[in-house]
């Protein structure tokens, strides 16, 4: 949904017209409330906010699945290291870097 200049509201105006703005948002509009001429907060429908949160959770899950798939592919390809050796190498690298 595109935001038009009519959807950008100064905080003082939003305070005075909150009930009207809430009705517009419930009807599908989104409002950007400004403070001192800069974006401050957004006013969106609660159901839409829940939808945005669900989308973000799904995106995170897909990224985790992708990471796990790449990890399994690395294991299948033999691209593995002993965990203790890898941690020791990281500690040596950090100690050398700190000594510089």
């Amino acid at each position: 949904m595109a935001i038009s200049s009519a959807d950008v509201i100064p905080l003082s105006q939003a305070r005075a017209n909150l009930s009207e703005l809430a009705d517009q948002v419930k009807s599908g509009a989104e409002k950007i409330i400004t403070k001192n001429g800069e974006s401050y907060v957004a006013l969106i429908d609660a159901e839409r906010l829940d939808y945005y949160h669900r989308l973000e959770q799904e995106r995170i899950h897909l990224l985790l699945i992708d990471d796990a798939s790449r990890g399994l592919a690395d294991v299948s390809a033999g691209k593995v290291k002993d965990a203790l050796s890898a941690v020791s190498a990281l500690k040596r690298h950090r100690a050398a870097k700190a000594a510089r």
Side-chain angles (χ1 to χ4, degrees), residues 5 14 19 22 31 53 56 63 67 69:
S5 60
S19 182
K31 303 293 181 179
H53 284 238
E56 181 62 15
L63 290 171
D67 284 348
S69 295

Side-chain angles (χ1 to χ4, degrees), residues 28-88:
E30 293 180 347
K31 303 293 181 179
I32 302 295
I33 299 173
T34 61
K35 184 175 181 180
N36 299 323
E38 295 186 18
S39 296
Y40 187 56
V41 296
L43 189 59
I44 65 170
D45 181 68
E47 289 179 16
R48 184 170 290 187
L49 180 62
D50 287 342
Y51 172 72
Y52 290 160
H53 284 238
R54 284 192 309 275
L55 282 179
E56 181 62 15
Q57 284 182 330
E58 288 175 14
R59 187 181 78 77
I60 289 169
H61 291 152
L62 290 172
L63 290 171
L64 288 171
I65 289 169
D66 186 51
D67 284 348
S69 295
R70 280 187 278 152
L72 290 171
D74 285 347
V75 169
S76 294
K79 298 179 184 177
V80 295
K81 290 186 178 182
D82 173 58
L84 293 176
S85 299
V87 170
S88 295

